[in-house]
Amino acid sequence: MLDGTEINLPSEDIYEVWDENGRVLGHSPGWEAPPGSNMFDTQPKQFERIRVGGERYRTIRINGLRIVDPGEKSGGVKRRVTIVYGAPTRHVWEAVQNAFLFYGITSLFLVVITGLGMSWLLRRGLAPLDELAKQASGLSVHSWQFSPSARIRDTTELAPLATALETAMKGLERSFTQQRQFVNDAAHELKTAVAVIKSSVQLLNMKPRSVEEYHAGLERCQTDCQRMEGIVAKMLTLARVESSPNERGSGSGPPSTDLARVIKNVVAQLDTFAELNKVHVKLSVPNLLTLEMEEDELELLCSNLLVNALQHSKAGDVVQITGRSAGVWIELEIADEGSGIEAEFLPYIFDRFYRNDPSRSRRTGGTGLGLAICKAIVNKANGTIEITSKSGSGTNAVVRLRIERNSTDWVPVKELLKETVLNEKTLPEGYQ
């Protein structure tokens, strides 16, 4: 018999030892249900679950070699034995269950804490975006106020978007305001023109007239119709200039236009008008001043400025037209010696239908759209226009248009000055 007291085993563990004939050599005290001898004959499993005394055990079967009387000269008698050793699984499952509960509860707690933290961080992080969306949703054709808060501007990711939206909203507001003002002004001007024609017809129809009176009345109606036709034509021109895209820099921009040739054509077209007003025109524009600009728009710009100068000049005055190159800019200056403009009116001269003296403008055929068209053309060409004037001392209009050419094509300013030609010889008779 084997003595189990020689080894130190857990008290709950059980074991049993058989010899090669299936005879029990020994077992632990708690081994109450030893397996029958037939289990060795049927190749039992190495690992097996059994129940002993209501307790679940996990057993392992080990085959070993026992030596009886190892002190003898022959080395003792060798006996093959089989050991079945079992340990209760209750502690293991309790440990697994406790670990599962611990890690489960801990994981759930961490998930809840993480979720709350992420929710707070998301709300805090997205608050500027939510604020930006609320402000953007409040925009409409009647409300263009868009002022991002300091929190939005301080957010690195949103600052460029807020700036772009603010710029776009200001541009749209300005555009809508201009369109609304344009429609109101156009309606007022057309209503006035129609009222004048209607009153002329009513006055003509109030009583029988002579043939001469009918002719005079019809001439007045024709004059008013021509004026209304001029207003409509200039409105369409202004709308066309403002609506056409700026193709500069797109690779298929407008062709090069010679400023000298265009200004000469304009002066020639207004030759008769200048002669009737007894105004002398001096032209000093060098050749080789070319611009990437539509020729008809450049001609309209020069024509409007020159007409204004001629209309407001007295007999014997001189209108000086000067063109020059200044770095990457071409400057066109038209100066007259006319009545000039009061300082209080200068800020409004580019407004549509603005006339500081409506009675004189109607007498001269002015519609109040000429300078507005000039401003639109210059803006489209990315240039500038500046008008300075002093009452009684004339008006000076300076247009600056940028040269868009490759640097290798540029002509040095000194060379341009050398080739400057005073085109007085080419002017029509009557010009100086």
Side-chain angles (χ1 to χ4, degrees), residues 248 291-292 328-330 381-383 400-404 410:
R248 188 178 296 272
L291 294 164
E292 291 185 358
V328 296
W329 298 91
I330 286 180
N382 294 328
R400 295 182 181 86
L401 299 171
R402 189 177 179 85
I403 303 173
E404 292 288 344
W410 287 13

Side-chain angles (χ1 to χ4, degrees), residues 120-194:
W120 180 76
L121 289 175
L122 285 175
R123 285 199 303 272
R124 182 178 180 181
L126 295 178
L129 181 60
D130 183 62
E131 182 180 348
L132 182 64
K134 288 181 179 177
Q135 287 195 11
S137 63
L139 296 173
S140 67
V141 294
H142 304 292
S143 176
W144 296 99
Q145 294 298 324
F146 183 77
S147 300
S149 64
R151 182 169 62 172
I152 295 177
R153 296 183 186 279
D154 293 339
T155 305
T156 305
E157 294 79 5
L158 294 180
L161 177 60
T163 303
L165 286 175
E166 188 176 24
T167 303
M169 291 303 107
K170 287 182 179 178
L172 288 174
E173 182 181 12
R174 183 168 55 252
S175 177
F176 270 82
T177 302
Q178 289 178 349
Q179 288 186 6
R180 190 181 297 114
Q181 185 64 36
F182 179 74
V183 171
N184 292 336
D185 293 341
H188 175 73
E189 290 294 323
L190 294 178
K191 181 180 178 182
T192 302
V194 172

Side-chain angles (χ1 to χ4, degrees), residues 7 38 139 152 186 225 276 331 401 425:
I7 55 177
N38 56 349
L139 296 173
I152 295 177
C225 287
L276 290 176
E331 288 187 355
L401 299 171
K425 296 180 181 179

Side-chain angles (χ1 to χ4, degrees), residues 310-345:
L310 294 175
Q311 284 179 339
H312 297 92
S313 296
K314 303 183 298 294
D317 285 349
V318 176
V319 174
Q320 178 68 50
I321 304 174
T322 307
R324 53 182 170 266
S325 174
V328 296
W329 298 91
I330 286 180
E331 288 187 355
L332 175 66
E333 181 178 3
I334 299 178
D336 64 66
E337 301 172 340
S339 56
I341 305 172
E342 298 286 347
E344 60 183 355
F345 300 137

